[in-house]
Amino acid sequence: MDRDRIISPREIENFIADGQLIVIFEGDVLKLNGFLNKHPGGHLAILHMVGRDATDEMKAYHFPATIKLMKAYRIGRIPSQPWTNLEPPLRGGVYGENTNVDTEKSDRDEESAQSSTLPSLTTSSSSEDGEWDLEPEKDQETCTATVVEQLMREKEDLPLICTHRITFAAAIEEEEQYAPKSPILGVTKNLSRPAYMAAMEQKEIADGIRAYPSVDVGTQRAIAMEYQALHDRLEMEGFYQCRYSEYGKEMIRWTILFSSFLFLLNAKWYLASAILLGMFWQQIMFTAHDAGHRGITGNFITDTIIGAFVADFCCGLSIGWWKSSHNVHHLITNMPEHDPDLQNVPLFATSPTYFKSIFSSFYDFTFVWDSTADFLVPYQKYTYYPVMAIARFNLYLLSWLHLLSPRSQCLGSAWWTRHVELAFMACYWFLFGYCLLWRTIPSWTLRVSFVLISHTVTMLLHVQITLSHWGTSTADLGPTESFAQRQLRTTMDVDCPPWLDWLHGGLQFQAVHHLFPRVPRHNLRALQVLVREFCKKTQIEYQCHGFIDGNKIVLGRLEEVGKMVETLVKCQTHMAETGESGLH
């Protein structure tokens, strides 16, 4: 096989149609079918990159030695012009014999076709109240773009909620209050559930396109080149070097917390000791996060064992589950159908996409939107903190489900990690469940109180994790958007003084971390300066807020989506009262 031959876009699309896992890296065409079952990061990390130029993603997540191994899977090279990303089959990309060779031309044709079929909104001649109705011969679900455009024209002076977001549901609510006969309300009330959801999705996409650099190939290529230059600078200036002295300081802190816990436990101050155990869990898990990204030693085996000891043995949480979920989360951040960190229906919904019941590519499960979600989501602003207080129990469940699932057995050369985790997890539950709760704490009242207090203390960690993404965009701006822009658009940093870094454990620099996940967290504050320069140069907004303001943004987003659901339920009620159907 000639590994240097030029492979045309048509050939690549035909390869993908035949089931080949084709990924572009630095102009090389890689066929990764033979690597799929060997990839320690799991299948989905590869499947989400099919048809795409994954140069930035691969360099961000892999060490140079690993990248060299990819050369063995090269089958050719792409033409010299920049590659136009395709939509991976896992995300709905369709490939076949009639695949259009000129992808850009195909995109233009599709846009032209869509614009030519957009329906018009006309004033019904039989309507006495002046409400607008859809043309009867048009399908309601195709009206969404016109609805959004009309709404944006009439609501240009709306206050922004979160970042660059005009609230669709709030606009409808305001129309109901001050102008009950308005055209927008008339159209909204006559929308079916899918049409209403699609209108709000399109509104979020419009917000993203308006607020960030153009997603055309040329602009995003320029951003990618700036990102690659910054990556090279990081390597040259030593940002990937771990400062082990910082872990020495942290070990002193862990020792003090755990020793204080044992002292109070021995003194039979059980509830006070529970607080210190929760603080110990919260602090030490930052190291498991580092190890999961190979940010400590850089050696896969060493960092995996460190991560398993901290997460599984000390905290009862599977590092394998975390890596499986977290790898996908980093690659396709805030994609409702694919990012497991957002999939919390019916308790929470941060995107109108969930209103249509989505199939999760990660869990291989359909999150059904039903009457339970209709009831719970409008209150999610108020249930957010209570649920975060008990979120650790859900992580226990997910950890065991992962270790007992086929996913944990399909890690190629990392097959042994499952056995290590099972042993460490068994030790944790023996020590915590049997020795501590059953043998040491004398009564059921104290046992239940101890568990609730110790686990509630860790809620700060869960709030930190959700804070970085639940208040940011969930819109998909298409396959041409660069890795760097998507990470910055969907991730928020938390601003705090340097002396408070120990409390946040580096998780406050999530935007910086998402751009460069292998950089040790003790170097992230210094790296933040360079990321700000990068954002200023590329005109990408760097989202950074104080901890309190960040919480307000997340609560605002939860309230926003909750109001969307309330409006949706009103639509259902209206259509039911008028005898119309198509709600579900």
Side-chain angles (χ1 to χ4, degrees):
M1 176 186 295
D2 182 4
R3 296 179 183 271
D4 293 317
R5 74 184 185 92
I6 301 299
I7 301 179
S8 70
R10 170 183 280 277
E11 287 183 273
I12 290 175
E13 292 173 10
N14 288 337
F15 283 148
I16 297 173
D18 290 337
Q20 304 300 319
L21 305 181
I22 302 298
V23 175
I24 311 301
F25 175 73
E26 292 188 332
D28 289 338
V29 180
L30 309 179
K31 187 175 80 170
L32 298 180
N33 295 65
F35 187 63
L36 188 66
N37 291 325
K38 301 176 183 178
H39 187 221
H43 292 179
L44 291 176
I46 292 178
L47 296 179
H48 276 295
M49 292 296 105
V50 172
R52 297 176 57 87
D53 185 340
T55 300
D56 291 344
E57 289 87 342
M58 291 176 67
K59 283 187 172 182
Y61 298 111
H62 297 95
F63 285 79
T66 304
I67 290 176
K68 288 181 180 179
L69 298 177
M70 294 296 100
K71 297 295 183 180
Y73 297 92
R74 186 177 68 179
I75 61 173
R77 293 188 58 81
I78 60 172
S80 58
Q81 66 267 25
W83 175 255
T84 301
N85 284 333
L86 306 175
E87 199 71 76
L90 184 65
R91 302 189 205 168
V94 178
Y95 299 86
E97 293 182 0
N98 296 322
T99 300
N100 196 323
V101 180
D102 189 342
T103 307
E104 294 181 355
K105 180 178 181 298
S106 176
D107 290 342
R108 290 194 299 270
D109 291 345
E110 182 179 352
E111 292 173 4
S112 176
Q114 289 177 347
S115 62
S116 66
T117 58
L118 285 176
S120 61
L121 296 175
T122 60
T123 305
S124 173
S125 59
S126 61
S127 175
E128 296 180 358
D129 58 16
E131 288 189 356
W132 288 6
D133 295 320
L134 298 174
E135 291 184 2
E137 68 275 12
K138 300 293 185 180
D139 188 284
Q140 287 181 336
E141 296 181 21
T142 62
C143 77
T144 58
T146 307
V147 172
V148 170
E149 290 171 4
Q150 180 69 21
L151 179 62
M152 291 176 69
R153 284 198 299 271
E154 295 196 3
K155 291 295 174 184
E156 288 179 353
D157 58 343
L158 273 179
L160 297 185
I161 292 183
C162 299
T163 54
H164 304 292
R165 183 176 291 112
I166 296 177
T167 311
F168 190 93
I172 299 301
E173 184 176 301
E174 186 176 322
E175 291 286 352
E176 288 180 324
Q177 183 176 357
Y178 298 107
K181 303 300 182 183
S182 76
I184 291 300
L185 179 59
V187 171
T188 305
K189 279 191 173 181
N190 286 298
L191 291 182
S192 64
R193 174 184 284 268
Y196 181 89
M197 177 278 302
M200 288 182 283
E201 277 190 322
Q202 290 299 318
K203 176 64 184 66
E204 297 223 320
I205 292 173
D207 287 343
I209 291 175
R210 182 180 65 235
Y212 286 86
S214 170
V215 292
D216 68 83
V217 175
T219 300
Q220 294 302 309
R221 176 61 179 167
I223 292 173
M225 291 178 68
E226 289 292 341
Y227 171 76
Q228 291 168 15
L230 179 57
H231 179 271
D232 293 341
R233 179 179 176 183
L234 262 59
E235 289 187 324
M236 183 173 59
E237 295 185 8
F239 277 91
Y240 283 105
Q241 300 301 315
C242 181
R243 291 186 287 158
Y244 295 108
S245 59
E246 296 298 327
Y247 284 107
K249 299 175 185 177
E250 293 197 1
M251 290 179 69
I252 295 174
R253 185 161 57 249
W254 306 333
T255 302
I256 292 173
L257 288 172
F258 196 75
S259 298
S260 300
F261 152 70
L262 291 176
F263 174 80
L264 293 176
L265 183 67
N266 186 61
K268 298 184 179 180
W269 288 22
Y270 299 115
L271 302 188
S273 70
I275 296 174
L276 289 167
L277 180 60
M279 293 175 64
F280 170 77
W281 281 335
Q282 187 258 351
Q283 285 290 300
I284 201 170
M285 274 302 293
F286 298 141
T287 300
H289 179 269
D290 297 345
H293 282 292
R294 293 176 63 185
I296 301 178
T297 69
N299 180 276
F300 176 79
I301 295 177
T302 304
D303 281 355
T304 297
I305 293 176
I306 292 173
F309 175 79
V310 172
D312 296 73
F313 181 83
C314 296
C315 301
L317 305 176
S318 167
I319 191 66
W321 161 78
W322 180 87
K323 290 171 70 173
S324 176
S325 168
H326 205 65
N327 288 341
V328 174
H329 160 71
H330 265 270
L331 288 174
I332 38 82
T333 309
N334 274 23
M335 280 193 177
E337 300 94 337
H338 307 292
D339 185 350
D341 283 13
L342 291 190
Q343 295 169 350
N344 302 287
V345 172
L347 288 177
F348 299 109
T350 57
S351 169
T353 300
Y354 292 110
F355 300 169
K356 63 185 177 183
S357 296
I358 61 106
F359 178 80
S360 167
S361 60
F362 181 83
Y363 290 111
D364 194 24
F365 172 82
T366 298
F367 285 84
V368 177
W369 190 276
D370 54 17
S371 58
T372 304
D374 279 341
F375 175 76
L376 291 176
V377 171
Y379 298 99
Q380 61 183 354
K381 174 184 177 180
Y382 305 102
T383 60
Y384 173 64
Y385 293 115
V387 171
M388 291 300 105
I390 58 174
R392 190 179 182 87
F393 296 106
N394 182 53
L395 300 187
Y396 288 144
L397 175 62
L398 292 174
S399 294
W400 279 109
L401 289 176
H402 169 78
L403 290 176
L404 299 177
S405 72
R407 189 194 300 270
S408 67
Q409 304 174 37
C410 300
L411 297 177
S413 59
W415 62 269
W416 54 271
T417 60
R418 178 173 180 264
H419 303 285
V420 172
E421 286 198 77
L422 287 172
F424 279 158
M425 289 275 278
C427 290
Y428 170 83
W429 285 106
F430 173 76
L431 294 173
F432 178 72
Y434 179 73
C435 297
L436 176 58
L437 294 181
W438 185 253
R439 297 286 296 177
T440 304
I441 300 179
S443 68
W444 275 107
T445 301
L446 286 173
R447 288 168 187 155
V448 172
S449 299
F450 184 95
V451 169
L452 290 177
I453 291 174
S454 61
H455 286 60
T456 299
V457 170
T458 65
M459 73 176 291
L460 175 61
L461 183 62
H462 306 299
V463 170
Q464 284 178 295
I465 293 170
T466 56
L467 203 62
S468 302
H469 303 290
W470 281 23
T472 58
S473 173
T474 60
D476 182 6
L477 302 190
T480 58
E481 185 177 28
S482 64
F483 167 76
Q485 178 168 307
R486 178 168 187 87
Q487 296 305 320
L488 289 165
R489 182 171 60 83
T490 58
T491 310
M492 177 177 69
D493 272 359
V494 174
D495 192 23
C496 74
W499 63 267
L500 203 56
D501 283 352
W502 68 271
L503 181 64
H504 294 285
L507 295 185
Q508 75 272 34
F509 300 116
Q510 279 292 297
V512 181
H513 168 65
H514 267 248
L515 286 176
F516 304 100
R518 289 189 295 108
V519 170
R521 63 183 162 92
H522 301 108
N523 297 335
L524 293 179
R525 179 170 286 280
L527 178 54
Q528 185 186 44
V529 177
L530 301 185
V531 169
R532 287 184 183 275
E533 293 176 359
F534 168 80
C535 291
K536 184 177 181 180
K537 190 171 185 178
T538 58
Q539 298 183 3
I540 300 174
E541 181 188 6
Y542 173 54
Q543 302 179 78
C544 185
H545 305 273
F547 185 75
I548 294 176
D549 288 339
N551 275 264
K552 289 179 180 179
I553 288 173
V554 170
L555 292 176
R557 178 57 172 168
L558 294 176
E559 181 180 24
E560 178 182 347
V561 177
K563 286 185 176 180
M564 290 181 186
V565 176
E566 289 180 346
T567 304
L568 179 60
V569 172
K570 289 179 182 178
C571 293
Q572 291 180 260
T573 303
H574 172 79
M575 295 180 75
E577 290 174 349
T578 57
E580 299 184 39
S581 59
L583 300 178
H584 296 280

